[in-house]
Every structure is written in structure tokens, then in C-alpha cells.
Amino acid sequence: MLDSKLLRTQLQDVADRLATRGYQLDVARIEALEAQRKTVQTRTEQLQAERNARSKSIGQAKQSGEDIAPLLADVDRMASELDAGKQELEGIQAELDQLMLTLPNLPHESVPVGKDEEENVEVRRWGTPKSFDFPVQDHVALGEQHGWLDFETAAKLSGARFALMRGPIARLHRALAQFMIDLHTREHGYEEAYTPYLVQAPALQGTGQLPKFEEDLFKITREGEADFYLIPTAEVSLTNIVAGEILDAKQLPLKFVAHTPCFRSEAGASGRDTRGMIRQHQFDKVEMVQIVEPGQSFEALESLTANAEKVLQLLELPYRVLALCTGDMGFGATKTYDLEVWVPSQDKYREISSCSNCGDFQARRMQARYRNPETGKPELVHTLNGSGLAVGRTLVAVLENYQQADGSVRVPEVLKPYMAGIEVIG
């Protein structure tokens, strides 16, 4: 959530910055609501002062034997007007608060301005895509040849956009997740967490999925109890660990990592990546989250992105890093790097990780703070998140980049300890 002070003092600047994201801020509506709020608030404060003065005069009139009935009636009238004014003020503030929840984060000044993904800026590349001397197969063909990747049975169980993995491919999928968790905990300093897969609405509001993106979520309605939502990413549960907390500065930075399934309805994605495992309703992800002091968040973004890159480097998978432009960034991000891995069957790079600095945007929604040691006052923390990595997409990249002419797949060197010495599957 943006700082409401910015909308009161720098409204046009906020509107201009949001416009670079393709978001048109209703400046006139906000100005009208603010003017209405100020008018009602001023009237209410004046009325409260008059009522206080009139109440004092009742005591004085009583002592001098005057008829106080008209004064009492006047005080009662003012009380009714005060209640009405307070309710009106609450209604205006509720509308402003609801509007604030729908506003995306402001892009950082270092973010390239652009309309969509075509205007993202490539920062660097690592590795060289392999040349194959045989016809390249995609991950679906490679996985299905032995029945180890089964979309037909998955569709029988759950419908479209699900996968059933068996045998060596299921093991390879598990090995990838374990390798990622071990790397991030042993070498990158993250604390492993196991989190709930079901959360309530306040957690999703805290990280920005609600109210704007409810259609992208799987919701479980419970009569007489709060609704549950299946997590779209462990970012939700990990970041909300600090919701409502005032942390000691000595606790920062906090670095969490978790391996969870993720559930997304893929609303609006009809017809996109319908073949294979690129876009699924259920997929696994190893998620990294950092909670840091405000002055450290952009340095932390570079570190978090490097942590995700290390996974690809150790797997020897070619990739590139993009700085997302203003028009392609996620709702809560102030700056984002995307990692795209080489997918041979598509002859292009595909997204495998998104690493974002959200600044104080999520922290303000969650009221997540730390006590500044210099001032002794609570201040909002900054939050960051990134995939380290999406396990299913990493499996796709491994299957395709390590395939051999006979359709078998070599196991990357770094994964062999997790595969009980198996060097080739298929």
C-alpha cells in the first residue's frame, strides 16, 4: 500500500509515476474525497468544540438558576450531528482505504520505463545454449516416452493444467527441490520454513493478492467461518510471519526459504502454454523472502537475485537476467529482475524466477515494522521475494537441455547425490 501522505501532498506526481505502469489514477475522485473528508472533519471538530463549550455553560446556568432545557436540547442536537459526522467521515475514509488497496506500487527511479515485456532490458547472460546434432524433443515427449510424465491421467483426476509424475522424473523433481533448499540454507544464509498451504484473507491482503487478484486464487468457502485460500506462492505465508510485529533491528535481515506447492487459477491465461508444465494450476516452488531495513533493500535485491542465479549456474543451465520495465512489473514491486532459462524446444529463454523489492508497500499493508535504533521509533521494514527456483520449470529446463539422441536424459552433476548415483534416466 502506498503512503496516504503521498496522495495528499504529491497526488499528481503519484499519478504520473503510476501512469508509467499503465495505471490511470482517478485524480479527480481522490481530490473530491479528500476535499469532502477535510470539510466533514473540520465541521465535526468545530461541532465538538461548540458542544464542549455548551456543556460547560449548562453547569454555569444551573448554578444561576436559569432554565437549562433549551441548552440540553441544543447539546443533544449537537451529539446527533456529531454521530452523523463521524459516520460520514468513517464512510469517506473506508472508500479511500479501499481505493488505496487497489493501487500498485510506485516504480523505483532506476526501473526502465516501458509498456510491456517487449521493453524489458537485458542486464546479462550466463552460459551458451547447447547445439544439438539430433532433433530436439520437448519435455512432454521426453517425459511421456516411458510413462513418467502423464498429463492424460492427471486430466482424468483433476482436469486440464495438471501433471502426474512417476518414477525417475518424480525423483528428479524432488531432487531439484532438495538441492535448492540445501543451497539456500547452507550457502546463502536462509532459514528453512514449512508453512501452511491454506491462508485467510488478511495474509493475502498483506502481500497484495487481495482484493485486486481474487480471481487468480483458489478459494475454499466455509459456512460460519473465515474463508481459506490456497497459497499462490510461499511469499504469502513467509512474508506474513512479520505481520503486525515490531522487530528489534538486531533481528534484521530475516531470510526465509520454503518449498511448497503453489496454486493458481491462471485466470486470463486461456490458450497460453497449454502444452506441458510451463503454466499449471498446481506447481512446486522454492521461495526466498527477505525482511530488511529500508536502507538495505536494493542491495538485498542484488543478493537475492544472485542466490537464484546460483541455482542455474550449478545446474549449468544457460539463462539471462532482465530488468523489468514499469509496464511489466508485478503489482507490489518497486523493482524486479526476471531470470529466464534457455528452453531448447522453444529456441528461446523462458521465465523461471522473478526477484522483487517491494520496498515498504507490503509492510504498510501488514503493519510490519522494526524499531529504529537511532530514533527508538517503529518504522516500516522493506520486504523482498524471489523464486529460487520454480521447480517444475527447472525440471523442464533440465530435461530439455540434458537430453540425448535416444531420448534419455543425463542427470546434472550437482544432482547426482540426490539421485542415489543415477546418472541417466530413460
Side-chain angles (χ1 to χ4, degrees), residues 162 165 173 177 193-199 218 229-237 258-264 280-287 389-392:
F162 290 91
M165 289 177 276
H173 184 267
Y194 174 84
T195 79
Y197 302 160
L198 294 168
V199 295
F218 284 108
Y229 294 84
L230 289 163
I231 58 170
T233 163
E235 170 201 342
V236 176
S237 41
H259 166 217
T260 69
C262 305
F263 305 91
R264 301 184 186 179
Q280 300 259 285
H281 287 312
Q282 175 187 317
F283 60 94
D284 279 32
K285 186 147 67 80
V286 170
E287 183 75 2
L389 304 165
V391 183

Side-chain angles (χ1 to χ4, degrees), residues 35 49 64 75 79 89 214 229 231 247 254 272 275 279 292 380:
S64 52
V75 168
L89 202 57
E214 183 160 8
Y229 294 84
I231 58 170
L247 304 168
L254 290 171
R272 295 179 61 192
R275 179 175 168 83
R279 197 175 297 276
V292 304
L380 295 170

Side-chain angles (χ1 to χ4, degrees), residues 203-404:
L204 289 153
Q205 181 173 296
T207 44
Q209 284 80 12
L210 286 179
K212 190 171 178 62
F213 301 106
E214 183 160 8
E215 68 174 2
D216 293 322
L217 304 170
F218 284 108
K219 180 178 180 179
I220 301 172
T221 302
R222 301 187 297 164
E223 188 174 350
E225 296 186 71
D227 294 335
F228 274 143
Y229 294 84
L230 289 163
I231 58 170
T233 163
E235 170 201 342
V236 176
S237 41
L238 290 174
T239 309
N240 274 279
I241 289 174
V242 298
E245 300 289 331
I246 300 178
L247 304 168
D248 190 307
K250 293 178 182 177
Q251 294 175 261
L252 301 178
L254 290 171
K255 299 170 69 174
F256 300 120
V257 65
H259 166 217
T260 69
C262 305
F263 305 91
R264 301 184 186 179
S265 71
E266 292 295 346
S270 179
R272 295 179 61 192
D273 295 310
T274 55
R275 179 175 168 83
M277 296 178 63
I278 295 293
R279 197 175 297 276
Q280 300 259 285
H281 287 312
Q282 175 187 317
F283 60 94
D284 279 32
K285 186 147 67 80
V286 170
E287 183 75 2
M288 303 176 292
V289 161
Q290 293 194 28
I291 315 294
V292 304
E293 293 185 41
Q296 303 298 316
S297 64
F298 285 98
E299 181 182 341
L301 176 61
E302 301 298 326
S303 171
L304 182 139
T305 304
N307 297 157
E309 289 183 70
K310 190 65 175 179
V311 178
L312 292 170
Q313 291 170 6
L314 291 174
L315 289 169
E316 300 182 72
L317 294 171
Y319 68 89
R320 66 176 183 171
V321 179
L322 301 177
L324 296 197
C325 71
T326 51
D328 197 36
M329 283 199 307
F331 179 77
T334 187
K335 183 172 184 176
T336 297
Y337 292 117
D338 266 10
L339 273 59
E340 294 185 343
V341 69
W342 181 254
V343 178
S345 67
Q346 298 183 18
D347 197 34
K348 63 181 178 180
Y349 293 95
R350 295 300 306 267
E351 181 193 340
I352 198 167
S353 174
S354 198
C355 300
S356 297
N357 180 4
C358 296
D360 61 12
F361 186 83
Q362 293 178 327
R364 184 172 286 106
R365 298 168 81 103
M366 297 186 301
Q367 278 303 289
R369 296 171 291 172
Y370 80 108
R371 195 169 298 280
N372 187 319
E374 295 182 4
T375 65
K377 295 180 179 179
E379 295 181 14
L380 295 170
V381 296
H382 280 196
T383 64
L384 302 96
N385 62 79
S387 307
L389 304 165
V391 183
R393 291 193 179 196
T394 309
L395 177 65
V396 168
V398 168
L399 291 175
E400 295 202 11
N401 282 279
Y402 281 85
Q403 65 179 290
Q404 301 186 110

Side-chain angles (χ1 to χ4, degrees), residues 10-20 23 25 27 106:
Q10 302 175 44
L11 180 57
Q12 192 55 54
D13 179 60
V14 170
D16 292 343
R17 292 173 70 184
L18 290 179
T20 67
Y23 185 93
L25 183 62
V27 172
L106 297 176

